[in-house]
Amino acid sequence: MGAVDIAVPQAPLLSRTPMVALLGNPNCGKTALFNRLTGARQKVANYAGVTIERKEGSFSSPAGHGFRVLDLPGAYSLSAHTPDEAITRDVVAGLRAGEQSPDVVVCVVNATNLRLNLRLVLEIKRLGLPMILALNMVDVAKKRGIEIDADRLAQELGMPVVETVAVQAGGEKSLLRALDAMWPLHESAPQPLAAIDAVGVEETQREVRRILALVSSDARDTGNLTEKIDNVVLHPVLGPVILAVLMFLVFQAVFSWANVPMDMIKAGVDGVGTMVKGAMADGLLRSLLVEGILGGAGSVLVFLPQILILFFFILILEDCGYLPRAAFLLDRLMGGVGLSGRAFIPLLSSFACAIPGVMAARTIQNPRDRLVTIMIAPLMTCSARLPVYALIIAAFIPEREVYGFMSLQGLVLFVLYFAGIASAMAVAYVMKRTMGANSKQPLMLELPAYHWPHMQNLALGLWERCKIFLSRVGTIILTLMVLLWFLSSFPGAPEGATHPPIYYSLAGILGRGLEYVFAPIGFNWQICIALVPGLAAREVAVGALGTVYALSQSGEELAQSLTPIIAGSWTLPTALSLLAWYVFAPQCMSTLSVVRRETNSIRYPLMMAGYMFALAYTASFLTYRISLFLIGG
Ligand SMILES: Nc1nc2c(ncn2[C@@H]2O[C@H](COP(=O)(O)OP(=O)(O)OP(=O)(O)O)[C@@H](O)[C@H]2O)c(=O)[nH]1
Ligand SMILES: [Mg+2]
């Protein structure tokens, strides 16, 4: 650690728990450090703009002092250009209403890229808050032969400098010691932010060069491997081909790897169902357990392996550093519809769920670009659609190979994802046109060095996904299933009924009413029932179909899994029409409410719901009618 004498200010001692803010350029390891300090599990990935909100945690130092700590979005400078950078600026400069400015700023820098990172350090230093510089990623720097004289750097900057490795156990120790060395802390307030003019920038730049010349040796090897990989991956012809092949392989894997674990879960759920049926007398409670809970929530649970496989690939791509490259490759394509390559990462996040996608649009500088990106994010195929797609595909698309190596089911899934992307691009094009054209801005994105995915990140990421999925199944899906079971079971069938009791139930009446609206696109009343709870969350539709069909089965038939039932009772045009519906329909309340929050207006979520319903109905109508015409009912 580089020690320096810091003049102790004559301010009163701090009486509250001190707040430490982690600040630095994007992708320098702030969140990794935050997680290491606090034991939290915030998302860490190898591209700029992962963190988009302030996150708070706490820890105590070896000397027993308690600290609060803030993880902030990365920023290149304090003159914010994007909404996420603005959060960072406002927090450190004490501009947020009702929030104290931090008592200590830990400026995290990427030791392999001091030239870029030091600018921000100098800028923050002008705020005059107590500061520590954390030279992070020294492990990578050492491997590359970059040597930094930490003592000298501390002298030049007038602040303690510590070396950290945020991804290694114990890699935060030196920072903790430095914090203890600062104890006791005093009250401090930041200097007002001064607007920096061109002269200021020039001066800062000169200062950076001067310091660099004093403290760092030239690197022997500056990420040679990264360059070599990029020559292939960013190649104008090879690049896009590699991207397409990668995407394609992912969807193939989702189907071909998932079979065995899915069968196991299915067998487990069926086994429990048979057991309950055997152990209990026929009655309401048994029906609730078997048809409501196992038939409903159980049929969603089966899709866990597919979701995990999809995320396995997404997490690897995120962590190794490939994502910003893909953004570059697609920049031209996206430019064609008036979007910038910046929109790529928010849109890609939407494959997990539109909500983080909509929020990640904060990293987009141009307000119109940001709005268009938000509006099309829900057209990206979120993971909640996967169970719906997978169910219908498994029921209607035969499990065979095309050209000897592609699974037909995987291919159909790929087409569905592609349909989402293509329509998003078309919508973006139209919106850009109607909002008035504006000039396209060049894409400026930092390309991080590649590294192997950290197994721990990967495992944690998958575990988080697993938890999210299971808790959805256990909470919202389960609740809706019980509600739906209730609505589908009462009032019972009248005297001399010719249909199963559900036909006469409240849900049945609702479904039959909706059928008037949806019959033109091929939906029967059972599907119509499932669409309603499916509005809350898409996967619920699968569970709802599970419950509805379980209740539609007569007598003592053994609980059959959903796939063969729908294969037997729907026509292919109906199945295709439902797939088309799910590509477009805005079946997710939470997304709409996040859009409302992010755009600060009710207008945009309404517009979104409107255009998506219109698209969904039209697409399903065309799909249904055309396939009826071509293949018959
Ligand atoms: N080898 C090595 N990798 C690191 C270290 N610290 C972080 N990383 C990796 O660097 C990448 C970025 O880490 P994050 O913690 O997400 O960076 P961040 O500063 O929070 O990024 P933003 O939220 O985008 O501003 C991840 O892939 C981490 O695994 C380190 O000390 N050594
Ligand atoms: Mg972060």
Side-chain angles (χ1 to χ4, degrees), residues 27-32 45 49-51 74 136-137 139 165-166 319 451 454:
N27 209 38
C28 63
K30 298 174 296 298
T31 305
V50 181
T51 308
N136 193 37
M137 305 200 182
D139 55 330
V165 182
D319 208 20
H451 61 64
H454 297 280

Side-chain angles (χ1 to χ4, degrees), residues 272-292:
V272 175
T274 318
M275 232 169 62
V276 174
K277 278 206 155 181
M280 292 174 70
D282 196 5
L284 274 184
L285 185 61
R286 187 177 97 168
S287 168
L288 172 65
L289 286 178
V290 176
E291 280 104 21

Side-chain angles (χ1 to χ4, degrees), residues 27 29-32 42-45 49-52 71-74:
N27 209 38
K30 298 174 296 298
T31 305
Q42 293 298 327
K43 180 171 169 137
V44 166
V50 181
T51 308
I52 45 174
D71 181 25
L72 292 167

